């Protein structure tokens, strides 16, 4: 891979972070180009069919959609982050999709307009977390044992939100889910996951949440 890679980014975007984690895990040099998603520049709109971050620029080529970016990186650079066996690989892709659903539930949670909706959406997240906990194995460091995988790259950015949510209140996301908590700690300690977001991410996320005009923003006021 000789072309210089550019990751078109937004500092709070979890989909950008998953692509960044994969780039870092594979030791691929890249640089980020942050854009303001509330005021998308013309050059971005021209090359981004969905108008969303991330984009990966590979020379003159543009790859959009984070899962596709991750698969492209998997096809072109080692170490492999997917299992070698087709059925296991399919299983991992399924759980990556599950991670995207959890990200949508997180957005629904922080945008909940009132207390009862907030509670209901916290319960939705909690039930997905319980399901995820069942998919983990005792003693595993990462999703599928001791080797970091693509599923780990997806859930690092998911769990990062909760560093801030947990400071606002104990919404009961984690209670009784020991495997999930261990996995979360392992991911947050992983270098690639730490490097995928800037050190001021908690401050940026807090400011973003405060500005939502939602049940969460009123809690933080
Ligand atoms: N399915 C997309 C989702 C990307 C996405 O939702 N990006 C958000 C930022 S985290 C975005 O660009 N939103 C701007 C918009 O929708 O206008 C992916 O996996 O890349």
């Amino acid at each position: 891979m000789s072309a210089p890679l550019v990751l078109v980014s937004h500092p709070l975007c979890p989909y950008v972070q998953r692509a960044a984690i994969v780039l870092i895990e594979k030791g691929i040099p890249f640089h980020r180009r942050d854009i303001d998603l509330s005021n998308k520049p013309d050059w971005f709109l021209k090359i981004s069919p969905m108008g969303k971050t991330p984009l990966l620029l590979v020379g003159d080529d543009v790859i959009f959609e984070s899962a596709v970016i991750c698969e492209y990186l998997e096809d072109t650079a080692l170490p492999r982050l997917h299992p070698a066996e087709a059925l296991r690989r399919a299983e991992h892709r399924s759980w990556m999709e599950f991670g995207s659903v959890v990200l949508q539930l997180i957005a629904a949670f922080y945008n909940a307009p009132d207390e009862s909706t907030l509670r209901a959406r916290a319960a939705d997240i909690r039930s997905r977390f319980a399901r995820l906990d069942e998919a983990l194995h005792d003693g595993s460091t990462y999703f599928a044992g001791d080797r970091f995988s693509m599923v780990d790259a997806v859930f690092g950015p998911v769990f990062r939100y909760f560093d801030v949510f947990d400071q606002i209140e104990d919404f009961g996301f984690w209670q009784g889910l020991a495997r999930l908590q261990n996995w979360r700690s392992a991911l947050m300690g992983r270098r690639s996951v730490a490097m995928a977001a800037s050190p001021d991410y908690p401050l940026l996320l807090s400011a973003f949440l405060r500005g939502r005009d939602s049940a969460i923003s009123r809690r933080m006021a």
Side-chain angles (χ1 to χ4, degrees):
M1 215 185 291
S2 56
L5 300 188
V6 178
L7 188 62
V8 181
S9 305
H10 181 275
L12 285 177
C13 179
Y15 302 95
V16 165
Q17 289 174 46
R18 69 165 73 154
I21 291 168
V22 172
L23 285 158
I24 297 164
E25 286 290 335
K26 289 176 178 286
I28 302 168
F30 70 102
H31 64 266
R32 295 174 205 238
R33 187 160 178 195
D34 278 346
I35 61 155
D36 178 357
L37 282 170
S38 62
N39 183 18
K40 297 173 188 171
D42 286 343
W43 66 263
F44 172 74
L45 290 170
K46 263 189 209 132
I47 63 171
S48 172
M50 309 282 234
K52 292 174 193 265
T53 58
L55 300 177
L56 186 70
L57 310 186
V58 184
D60 291 335
D61 289 293
V62 179
I63 309 177
F64 59 99
E65 285 296 313
S66 61
V68 180
I69 292 171
C70 291
E71 297 293 345
Y72 166 73
L73 297 170
E74 182 71 355
D75 285 347
T76 52
L78 295 170
R80 292 204 195 295
L81 297 179
H82 268 323
E85 207 233 308
L87 191 53
R88 294 281 78 78
R89 203 157 57 240
E91 180 198 17
H92 278 222
R93 288 182 175 132
S94 299
W95 284 106
M96 289 171 73
E97 195 53 39
F98 188 93
S100 296
V101 169
V102 174
L103 285 174
Q104 287 159 22
L105 295 179
I106 288 171
F109 168 76
Y110 65 62
N111 285 318
D114 53 58
E115 279 301 311
S116 65
T117 313
L118 184 73
R119 289 277 155 220
R121 293 182 181 172
D124 286 345
I125 294 175
R126 161 72 202 196
S127 74
R128 300 297 170 131
F129 274 5
R131 197 65 195 251
L132 191 54
D133 187 80
E134 284 169 21
L136 300 171
H137 299 286
D138 284 331
S140 255
T141 306
Y142 297 116
F143 176 71
D146 292 338
R147 283 192 56 176
F148 190 92
S149 75
M150 207 68 97
V151 182
D152 297 294
V154 167
F155 279 92
V158 168
F159 294 147
R160 194 191 306 282
Y161 278 101
F162 293 84
D163 292 347
V164 172
F165 294 158
D166 288 354
Q167 302 257 317
I168 299 169
E169 189 180 309
D170 180 0
F171 291 96
F173 291 124
W174 308 100
Q175 210 180 0
L177 304 180
R179 285 184 295 246
L180 197 70
Q181 289 186 52
N182 288 340
W183 187 30
R184 175 191 184 187
S185 311
L187 288 184
M188 298 329 284
R190 182 88 179 181
R191 179 179 158 272
S192 62
V193 175
M195 287 177 67
S198 75
D200 58 356
Y201 173 91
L203 284 177
L204 294 174
L205 179 59
S206 297
F208 170 80
L209 295 175
R210 274 200 194 87
R212 299 314 290 168
D213 190 20
S214 64
I216 271 283
S217 65
R218 285 188 286 281
R219 294 277 174 98
M220 297 171 81

